[in-house]
Structures are given as structure tokens and as C-alpha cells.
Amino acid sequence: MNETGMENRKPAGGTRTGRPRARRPDLETLYTINEDGSRNFLHPADVHGKWQVRKNIVWALLLAFYVLLPWITIQGAPAVHIDIPGRVAHLFGFVFTSQDFYLVFFLISGMGFALFFVTSLWGRVWCGYACPQTVFLEGVFRRIERWIEGPGERRIRRNQGPLTLDRFWRKAVKLSIFLALAYVTAHVFLSYFIPVKELLEVVRSRPGAHPTAFFWSMFWTAVLFFDFTWFREQTCLIICPYGRLQSTLVDADTITIGYDRQRGEPRGRKLDSGGDCVDCFRCVAVCPTGIDIRNGVQMECVGCTNCIDACDAIMEKVDKPKGLIRYDSERGFETGKRRSLLRPRFAIYLVLLLIGASVFTAVASRRTPLEVTLLRPQGLPFRIHDGRIENQYTLHVQNKSTREMIVLVETTEDPGMQALEDASGDPVHIDYVVPRARLALPSLGDSKIPLFATMARTDFSAPFEHTIVLVDSLTGVRREFRLPFRGP
Ligand code: SF4
Ligand code: SF4
């Protein structure tokens, strides 16, 4: 094993003893990629400490949350469910259809600015604690790997040695469990898109019975197996755009994980070297992205806190105060001054977050489960027949709730007649013909209701609006709707 805790198959140069010198992390290259482009596979050393305990608690809660959320129902529908073919989304009791797509803008921008806001305060706390990639990789897959193949140092030794029976069976068992877990995780992911009961049915059926669902389950199983078995931190370093954005979101007052250079330098293996850092490389050995935090804040740091716990343990051993690596702001590390929350970046992200969240909440809460849209026929908006003006309408009625509706069309308290006043204030009378005045609408169903309104030509003096009422007879929900009446 080398001191950086990695397989490091491409050592750079040699030492005076003739042994290859381990390549050390620097700011110029990605440590997990060798010079020839091959992978330098990481085996972070095990670490224990208070931050690991906190993370384990958060991960356990989040794992339960991610797995159980699609099983929880609110008003008969899954708490979170996105039906792509049906173009319907269920979100904690709200139902959104394709007509509500504009709300996605506010939802996504609100979530994006929430992430920006949190990052400007606490750096990549999302990556270290809550990102599903971290939760599943560190909380499940890496943990199983440790149980089967031992701690990082032993795994490196074994991988660099010959293929013995011991190494073979451990690898075989690990990969089999990883494959099974990738299959389960893929189905957890799919359960956000396919209702759980249908998904269980798909699992029990032969592949040909549900070819599309089968394809996606195999596709995501393969992707997750590849990701959690081999690709791992490369997802964060190469694919995830958030890590790249990080440097534009943080400033000198953002709380990130960092190394106290003032206290640590000059570093040295001897305790009397001047600084508190004993250059033990323990912080590098435990890092899941293979960086040396002592080089400063880096894009590859996912805020996992491993180096804090590792360094605190070393400080305890050498009888020095903990916190050489800790959460602090750049200003805090340099000057020891208190950090200020009130700064422009913080305020701008907060305002943008509040705008997105407020618009989304206001518009979403004003939506009605009984959606009505007027579809006017093409051509003239009216016709004259037997001395009467006739306006024809088509109402597109949509049930956006999770239960059936019986919709009644009410045109007046005295059916067939509605008393109105025209522009001059004179009373006018409209007759209605509603071929389908009662309509059963299943959950998320829609239908079209034709409607005719007529009035005597002699009564018409100017265009006006009249009101019809749609009532869900099961719940009494009423929706008044204004219709224009046009004439010659
Ligand atoms: S530098 Fe520290 S906090 Fe950042 S990824 Fe490495 S171990 Fe985790
Ligand atoms: S773990 Fe602490 S003491 Fe050891 S090298 Fe890292 S910063 Fe220095």
C-alpha cells in the first residue's frame, strides 16, 4: 500500500532506496486518472469519528426516505410519482398535468436557487450528506465492500497480489451482491415513474409481457452496477455539473472543509517541525476523491468530512488540539475573524429562491381539481337561425384530482334559462342546450362538453358574458365559468 491509500499503478519516479515513489495529489492533474488516461482506482481508508456518526444517521434516514417515498400514498396517489407517458406528476398531494408544465420552471428554478443558497452558506454539504450517489455509494455499496474484502489497505494489497482462491471468492460474492443491489436500486428509481404495484407486476412477469419496463429496469441496473462498482467518484468529478459550478457559488465567507495552513505549516513528520501537521497523509488516504485538502479548496472535494475525522484522530494521538482540518470559511482560516452571513451573494440567492418558491406555491395552491377550458369552434363565433342568435361552445373539462368526479353543468337556477342584463342594462334571456349535462370523469380523466346558447336576435345589442357553473356532485366543488356571447 502507498501512503495515499490508492492502488496508484503508475508511480512517478523512484526513491533513493529504489522503491517506486507514490504519485501524490496535486493541483495540476486529476489524481484518479493516470498520465496515460487509465484509472487510478481509489480504496479510501476506513475512518471513524463524530462526523461519520452524523453522516450514518443522515444516510439511514435518507435511504428510508428514498426507498419508501413511492410507497406512501396521499389522497390515493403516490406521494411522488412522475407518469411520463401520461404527462402527469403527483407531488405530495398536488397533481400536475401537461398544462401545468410552466410551473416546472418555477419548481426547478426554486430548487436550483435553494441549492445555490445552501452552497453559498455551507459549500458542498449536499454532496457529502444527501446526494443519492453519496448515500448509496458510501452508505451501502462501499460498506458491503468493506465487510467482504476488508479495509482499504487490505483491499489494495489483495488487488496487487496474485489471483488466489480467497481473492476470487470475495470478488465473486461482492460483485453478485452489488448486481443484486443495483437491480433493487434501479427498481427504487423506477418506482418514481411506474406505480409500485405495476412495478411489482413487471418484476413477476416474463420480460416479453412488459418489454419497455423490462428494458428500463435492465438499463438502470447496468448503469448503477457500473457506477457503484467501478465508476464511483468519477461521476462526481466528471459527470456532475454541480461540482463544476461550485467555485462560482462560494466566496471567502462560505463555510467549507479546509486545512488551517496557519496552524499546520511548516508541516513535518517530526513533532517539533514547527506546524501542527505531522504530514502523516492520513487525510489523503481517507479521501474518496483522492485529493490533498492541504493544497486548498478544490473542485474535487465533495465535502464528505472524512479528512476532518482522520486528522482529528491524529491530533488526538500527537496531543494537539483538534480542528486542524475543519469546517470554516476562507476568511476564518486566514484571519480567525467571525464570518458574516449578510453578504450580497447570500441575499441574491435567498431572494431568487423565495421568488421561485412563492410563485410555485401561490400558483399551485390556486389550481382547482376541476379544470375547464373553452374551445371555440373555427369560423364565425355565432350563427343566426329562426330569428335567434346561436353561440356554440366546447368545454374541455379535466379532473385533476385522484378520485372520480360526477360533473353537472348548471346553466341557471331555473334550468334552460338565465336572466342577464345586456350592455344597456336591459334584461336579456338565454336558452341553453347541453347535450351532456352530467358527466362521469375518472381520476385525471378529461372530456369535452358541447354547449349551445341562444337568444332572440331582437334582444341582442352588444357582446356580453354569461356564466355557467360546473359542479362536482360528489364533493360539491363548484367552478364558475364565464362564456362570451357574440352576435352580429
Ligand atoms: S478533501 Fe476531505 S472533505 Fe473533501 S472529499 Fe476529500 S476527504 Fe472529503
Ligand atoms: S491528517 Fe492532519 S496531520 Fe495528517 S497530513 Fe493530514 S492535515 Fe497533516
Side-chain angles (χ1 to χ4, degrees):
M1 177 203 171
N2 62 56
E3 64 193 350
T4 55
M6 302 155 202
E7 290 188 9
N8 202 7
R9 295 191 183 93
K10 305 284 176 187
T15 64
R16 274 182 297 172
T17 61
R19 281 186 307 181
R21 189 196 303 139
R23 179 182 152 214
R24 294 189 171 188
D26 55 41
L27 293 176
E28 312 302 322
T29 55
L30 197 56
Y31 189 70
T32 51
I33 306 287
N34 291 312
E35 277 176 18
D36 61 2
S38 60
R39 177 77 177 279
N40 188 18
F41 200 87
L42 306 185
H43 290 283
D46 291 3
V47 62
H48 305 281
K50 70 175 181 191
W51 291 103
Q52 305 308 307
V53 174
R54 291 171 189 178
K55 278 193 307 183
N56 284 340
I57 294 170
V58 173
W59 289 344
L61 293 173
L62 282 175
L63 272 172
F65 180 75
Y66 293 146
V67 172
L68 295 179
L69 201 52
W71 294 79
I72 298 170
T73 55
I74 299 176
Q75 295 171 4
V80 176
H81 177 65
I82 300 164
D83 177 1
I84 294 175
R87 283 175 279 175
V88 175
H90 296 270
L91 210 55
F92 300 104
F94 289 110
V95 183
F96 300 97
T97 61
S98 50
Q99 281 102 340
D100 305 315
F101 192 71
Y102 68 98
L103 282 175
V104 172
F105 169 78
F106 295 104
L107 182 66
I108 292 184
S109 59
M111 283 163 53
F113 284 119
L115 198 57
F116 287 8
F117 172 72
V118 169
T119 308
S120 75
L121 277 182
W122 299 298
R124 289 177 77 172
V125 69
W126 159 263
C127 301
Y129 288 83
C131 175
Q133 167 79 9
T134 302
V135 173
F136 280 91
L137 176 60
E138 303 296 339
V140 179
F141 286 81
R142 192 109 65 188
R143 198 177 294 263
I144 289 170
E145 186 171 68
R146 284 198 185 100
W147 284 340
I148 297 173
E149 294 192 302
E153 300 84 347
R154 205 178 303 157
R155 293 204 300 276
I156 293 170
R157 266 203 309 275
R158 200 179 275 125
N159 285 349
Q160 288 173 339
L163 181 62
T164 59
L165 183 63
D166 177 63
R167 181 177 161 195
F168 178 79
W169 81 255
R170 286 178 196 275
K171 284 262 181 263
V173 170
K174 181 187 87 171
L175 293 178
S176 305
I177 294 176
F178 275 19
L179 189 59
L181 278 174
Y183 180 78
V184 171
T185 312
H187 284 78
V188 169
F189 175 66
L190 286 175
S191 64
Y192 285 86
F193 299 91
I194 303 172
V196 175
K197 278 185 190 160
E198 278 178 42
L199 197 59
L200 292 175
E201 175 62 30
V202 170
V203 171
R204 283 193 289 260
S205 327
R206 56 188 175 75
H210 303 277
T212 309
F214 178 74
F215 167 79
W216 285 114
S217 73
M218 290 300 105
F219 174 80
W220 285 111
T221 301
V223 167
L224 294 175
F225 181 70
F226 171 75
D227 182 29
F228 293 129
T229 303
W230 191 77
F231 207 53
R232 298 191 170 184
E233 77 289 338
Q234 298 299 300
T235 301
C236 312
L237 303 185
I238 296 172
I239 293 180
C240 179
Y242 173 52
R244 310 255 154 193
L245 268 179
Q246 183 199 206
S247 56
T248 63
L249 302 175
V250 299
D251 58 22
D253 295 302
T254 300
I255 308 294
T256 53
I257 295 169
Y259 165 71
D260 191 340
R261 181 168 290 278
Q262 316 258 13
R263 207 188 114 186
E265 302 296 321
R267 68 185 77 160
R269 299 227 166 194
K270 292 186 181 148
L271 287 178
D272 59 357
S273 57
D276 281 359
C277 174
V278 293
D279 208 17
C280 63
F281 263 82
R282 184 71 187 150
C283 51
V284 182
V286 298
C287 179
T289 60
I291 60 171
D292 187 341
I293 190 72
R294 296 173 299 170
N295 291 335
V297 177
Q298 292 154 71
M299 186 206 77
E300 294 96 320
C301 176
V302 291
C304 72
T305 71
N306 283 4
C307 52
I308 301 183
D309 279 335
C311 190
D312 278 353
I314 298 294
M315 290 297 108
E316 211 171 351
K317 278 187 193 153
V318 297
D319 207 18
K320 290 187 174 170
K322 292 179 181 177
L324 180 56
I325 297 176
R326 62 176 186 273
Y327 275 113
D328 206 339
S329 65
E330 195 184 320
R331 199 185 307 279
F333 279 119
E334 281 173 9
T335 65
K337 285 191 180 159
R338 295 191 68 183
R339 44 210 179 233
S340 158
L341 274 184
L342 295 173
R343 50 191 204 267
R345 182 184 298 270
F346 172 83
I348 291 169
Y349 292 151
L350 181 61
V351 168
L352 292 172
L353 156 65
L354 289 177
I355 289 175
S358 313
V359 173
F360 177 79
T361 311
V363 178
S365 56
R366 278 217 322 266
R367 288 160 65 258
T368 160
L370 182 57
E371 190 78 37
V372 188
T373 316
L374 171 64
L375 308 174
R376 289 296 296 263
Q378 289 184 339
L380 264 183
F382 62 89
R383 70 183 188 123
I384 301 173
H385 181 63
D386 281 347
R388 295 186 70 77
I389 303 169
E390 180 185 279
N391 277 219
Q392 182 188 345
Y393 312 91
T394 304
L395 301 175
H396 181 228
V397 189
Q398 221 181 346
N399 176 2
K400 286 188 170 177
S401 73
T402 51
R403 43 159 197 77
E404 190 193 28
M405 279 185 178
I406 305 293
V407 179
L408 305 178
V409 182
E410 290 182 358
T411 51
T412 172
E413 289 171 7
D414 176 14
M417 188 70 79
Q418 181 171 10
L420 291 162
E421 289 180 351
D422 66 10
S424 61
D426 297 328
V428 294
H429 296 283
I430 297 181
D431 285 333
Y432 291 97
V433 178
V434 189
R436 294 170 71 199
R438 185 180 186 280
L439 184 71
L441 271 184
S443 167
L444 301 176
D446 68 328
S447 189
K448 289 181 180 147
I449 301 178
L451 181 83
F452 300 90
T454 65
M455 70 182 298
R457 182 173 182 173
T458 49
D459 282 350
F460 183 83
S461 56
F464 60 92
E465 287 191 339
H466 55 115
T467 304
I468 59 153
V469 181
L470 284 89
V471 184
D472 173 16
S473 67
L474 297 180
T475 60
V477 169
R478 293 168 68 83
R479 180 85 203 279
E480 288 197 359
F481 201 72
R482 303 282 288 170
L483 295 174
F485 194 95
R486 302 279 180 264

